[in-house]
Structures are given as structure tokens and as C-alpha cells.
Amino acid sequence: MSEIPIVRNILEANDKIAAELNTFFTEKKILCLNLMSSPGSGKTSLLEKTLADLKGEFKMAVIEGDLQTDNDARRVAATGAQAVQINTEGGCHLNSSQVKEALSHIDTEGLDILFVENVGNLVCPAEFNVGEHHKVTLLTVTEGDDKPEKYPLMFHISSVMILNKIDLLPYVDFDLENAKKHARKLNKDISIFPLSCRSREGLEDWYQWLRETRATKA
Amino acid sequence: MHEMSIAQSIHTIVLEELEKHPDATLKKVLVNNGALAGIVSEALTFGWEAITMDTPLQGSILVVNEIPIIVSCGSCQKEFTPNDRLYMPCPDCGLEIGHKVLQGKELQIEGIEIE
Ligand SMILES: [Zn+2]
């Protein structure tokens, strides 16, 4: 019996392609954001609003990860933005080679912002870089405010936490301050935006973060 | 079950390493799994069994070494293992946030054993 030390990062193949993509985005001055959440947290609604409201300011595109359907891609495409669908056929996250393939269907000339809408689930996508500059996690007030505690990695590595559907706060048992506190314990620098796509409350703060973050890439 | 795709990545790496030892039989794969990596060890070993079934690697064992979290205090630099993944007060100065994670995010193959 002989022991052979290897010490290799299990995700190295994924990380290598992710690093190539990241370099590409940076050189092309494209801000790439990886949007992650539980199912039904409203990633697509947030994208619809963002794409529609900022289309005069930025050229934007979306890579949609979906388990089976292309419903989300259609909703996004209705705003006029380029949308490419990746069907993960049951896979629980997007990986970098899927994003690389999808990117070949997108006109990146003059593109300002690329959103990658990841598959709805709070654990797996956190481990797979897809070349993004920032990870953005969505949480809704209909979920527990202890979510950051249950999925620590997600909040460790995210630059932004969006607390969606705050128009429902009067009807649910969700402590906004608690959720913020939990997230900041895991990541003190995380930017937190409570907002509602329906009432539009808080949307402008998110847009301002997009503008400022995009400006650092230009 | 994302452990399955992790097991698949391990499989790819192990096959690459085994090319250097064409006559060897794989006995064990040693994997480090950090407490913050979000991987369930049992699901990973199950995934390994499933992937290697009816292949030359069948019968090899995936040994998962679970690595606890160690942080260094953001204020006094005291290194400690928190009792809780969320509430992590420094035992020396009481600071709750802003610690640096020194250990616990690992997800790596440490080595293989062959015969
Ligand atoms: Zn301290």
C-alpha cells in the first residue's frame, strides 16, 4: 500500500474556466453578477424591473439557469434585453463551462452588465464560481430571518443581500433587523438592500449600487 | 443533491492521478471537507459508491476528513473555534463580527492510497 499526496482543490476545473471568464469580463469592462436565491424569491421579477428601468443607461444581458422551462428567459426577453437560457436538466447549480457556452450566444460588444440568474437553491451555487465579479443573494421576507444561519457559505461570499417583498412585512413574522444582523455576523461588509419589486420601495438603492459598481469596472 | 457533482469532480481528478500509476489498484481517496463548505460527508461517500459502481474503481473508499471552523478575531487576533456557525463571540474580547475564517472552507483531495 502506498500513499500518494495530491492536495488538489476539487473544484479546480470549474475554477479555472471561471477565472478565464472573469478575465474576459474585466477586459471587456462587463460587470458580471451571479444572482442566487431559494426558489420563488423573485430573481426574475427583480431582473424584469432592473432591465426595464435601467435600459436607457446600460446595455444588459442575462444568462438564465433553469431546471426545465424557459418561462423566466421569456419574461426577461420581453424587456428587450438579450437572454440566453441554460437548461440544467435537474442540476442544482450553474457551472462555469455552462456559462462559457451560453456566453457564445450573447453579443458582448458594448455590453455593460451581465446577470447570471442561477438555479434557485441556497447551497450549491455558492460553491461554484462562474466568473462573476460579485455574488448577489436574494432572500424574501416570507422565508425565515434565520436563513443566513442555515446557509452560512452563501452569505460569507456574497457582496450583496437583497431582502425582497418588503411590502409583505406587515403580514409575516420576519425581523428585518435580525436578518441584517445575522448576515453581517457572517460577512460584515455585505451590502443589504431591502426592497419590493411590487411597491418599488428600495429599488433605487439597488440601482445606485449597480451604477457605482459598474463605474468601478469601466 | 450537489454532493453528486462534487463526487464526479473527485472522480475526474482521481482518474487523472491514476494515469501515472497504470498498474495500481485504488484503495482510498482522502478528502478534506470544511464545516463551511456545505457538503454532507455521508452524501459524498454515497455519491462516490454510486459513481464507481461497476467500474475498475469499485470497492475503493472515500474517506472524508471533516475540518472544523477556526477564525481569528477581527480585533484581538485571538484564534478560536466557535461553538456556533452564526454567533461567534471572541472568547477574549467579546467581538462578535468581522472575524477572519482561517479554516473550514476547504474542499480538497488530500491524497490517494493505492496498492
Ligand atoms: Zn478578540
Side-chain angles (χ1 to χ4, degrees), chain B residues 73 75-78 90 92-95:
Chain B
C73 173
S75 170
C76 73
Q77 275 78 49
K78 161 95 179 168
C90 170
D92 279 10
C93 74
L95 183 80

Side-chain angles (χ1 to χ4, degrees), chain B:
Chain B
M1 172 161 133
H2 60 307
E3 280 83 359
M4 197 64 184
S5 57
I6 301 287
Q8 215 113 39
S9 304
I10 295 172
H11 189 240
T12 306
I13 293 174
V14 168
L15 287 180
E16 264 177 52
E17 294 293 332
L18 284 175
E19 278 175 20
K20 301 170 197 164
H21 311 275
D23 300 324
T25 307
L26 181 71
K27 290 290 166 194
K28 281 183 191 168
V29 183
L30 310 166
V31 170
N32 293 328
N33 178 17
L36 282 169
I39 298 293
V40 178
S41 298
E42 291 74 27
L44 195 59
T45 50
F46 174 77
W48 181 256
E49 281 173 30
I51 285 171
T52 56
M53 195 178 287
D54 299 326
T55 76
L57 300 192
Q58 179 166 3
S60 62
I61 301 166
L62 193 75
V63 181
V64 184
N65 174 28
E66 295 187 348
I67 298 180
I69 306 169
I70 297 179
V71 299
S72 121
C73 173
S75 170
C76 73
Q77 275 78 49
K78 161 95 179 168
E79 292 180 14
F80 64 100
T81 294
N83 294 324
D84 187 298
R85 288 192 307 186
L86 175 68
Y87 181 61
M88 301 184 181
C90 170
D92 279 10
C93 74
L95 183 80
E96 289 179 14
I97 59 169
H99 306 316
K100 194 171 153 212
V101 178
L102 300 177
Q103 179 191 294
K105 288 202 271 194
E106 299 76 3
L107 188 56
Q108 60 188 195
I109 297 179
E110 193 177 273
I112 54 176
E113 282 183 22
I114 56 174
E115 211 169 54

Side-chain angles (χ1 to χ4, degrees), chain A residues 122-208:
Chain A
L122 272 178
V123 180
C124 328
E127 293 143 30
F128 292 83
N129 294 323
V130 295
E132 71 275 35
H133 294 109
H134 294 284
K135 290 182 167 73
V136 175
T137 300
L138 263 86
L139 201 63
T140 68
V141 301
T142 51
E143 303 173 70
D145 52 31
D146 60 349
K147 266 286 161 67
E149 178 174 16
K150 288 188 184 153
Y151 304 96
L153 182 63
M154 188 65 93
F155 295 90
H156 249 297
I157 55 168
S158 288
S159 307
V160 175
M161 174 168 87
I162 287 176
L163 293 167
N164 195 13
K165 307 187 187 177
I166 55 168
D167 53 306
L168 297 177
L169 274 178
Y171 315 105
V172 293
D173 189 21
F174 185 95
D175 187 331
L176 208 57
E177 290 313 310
N178 234 356
K180 285 187 192 176
K181 203 172 79 191
H182 284 189
R184 290 218 163 99
K185 272 182 186 166
L186 293 163
N187 177 353
K188 78 179 162 83
D189 299 320
I190 197 165
S191 299
I192 302 177
F193 301 111
L195 56 81
S196 161
C197 291
R198 215 167 67 182
S199 71
R200 304 191 58 86
E201 189 186 346
L203 271 178
E204 190 50 43
D205 294 332
W206 156 241
Y207 294 161
Q208 199 50 37

Side-chain angles (χ1 to χ4, degrees), chain A residues 2-215:
Chain A
S2 61
E3 287 182 30
I4 302 168
I6 301 179
V7 191
R8 280 175 64 176
N9 188 329
I10 290 164
L11 302 177
E12 64 186 30
N14 185 73
D15 287 345
K16 193 164 160 267
I17 298 171
E20 280 168 29
L21 287 172
N22 187 273
T23 303
F24 172 82
F25 294 138
T26 303
E27 280 171 0
K28 286 268 186 180
K29 303 185 195 312
I30 299 167
L31 172 65
C32 179
L33 302 176
N34 182 357
L35 265 62
M36 305 180 291
S37 78
S38 309
S41 297
K43 289 192 297 294
T44 310
S45 301
L46 180 72
L47 278 176
E48 279 179 309
K49 285 279 183 284
T50 305
L51 295 168
D53 290 345
L54 301 185
K55 71 177 166 195
E57 288 180 56
F58 302 118
K59 188 175 167 192
M60 295 173 281
V62 178
I63 292 176
E64 279 282 344
D66 202 317
L67 292 172
Q68 247 120 37
T69 70
D70 64 353
N71 294 346
D72 291 350
R74 276 180 223 225
R75 282 171 62 189
V76 163
T79 65
Q82 292 186 82
V84 175
Q85 161 93 30
I86 299 173
N87 188 332
T88 62
E89 280 152 8
C92 50
H93 60 268
L94 292 179
N95 64 40
S96 53
S97 62
Q98 290 169 320
V99 169
K100 189 176 173 182
E101 157 65 16
L103 196 63
S104 66
H105 301 286
I106 289 179
D107 175 16
T108 54
E109 222 30 64
L111 193 64
D112 296 306
I113 303 176
L114 174 68
F115 295 99
V116 177
E117 182 176 344
N118 220 311
V119 180
N121 133 20
L122 272 178
V123 180
C124 328
E127 293 143 30
F128 292 83
N129 294 323
V130 295
E132 71 275 35
H133 294 109
H134 294 284
K135 290 182 167 73
V136 175
T137 300
L138 263 86
L139 201 63
T140 68
V141 301
T142 51
E143 303 173 70
D145 52 31
D146 60 349
K147 266 286 161 67
E149 178 174 16
K150 288 188 184 153
Y151 304 96
L153 182 63
M154 188 65 93
F155 295 90
H156 249 297
I157 55 168
S158 288
S159 307
V160 175
M161 174 168 87
I162 287 176
L163 293 167
N164 195 13
K165 307 187 187 177
I166 55 168
D167 53 306
L168 297 177
L169 274 178
Y171 315 105
V172 293
D173 189 21
F174 185 95
D175 187 331
L176 208 57
E177 290 313 310
N178 234 356
K180 285 187 192 176
K181 203 172 79 191
H182 284 189
R184 290 218 163 99
K185 272 182 186 166
L186 293 163
N187 177 353
K188 78 179 162 83
D189 299 320
I190 197 165
S191 299
I192 302 177
F193 301 111
L195 56 81
S196 161
C197 291
R198 215 167 67 182
S199 71
R200 304 191 58 86
E201 189 186 346
L203 271 178
E204 190 50 43
D205 294 332
W206 156 241
Y207 294 161
Q208 199 50 37
W209 182 88
L210 275 178
R211 290 182 188 109
E212 285 165 13
T213 309
R214 157 78 194 130

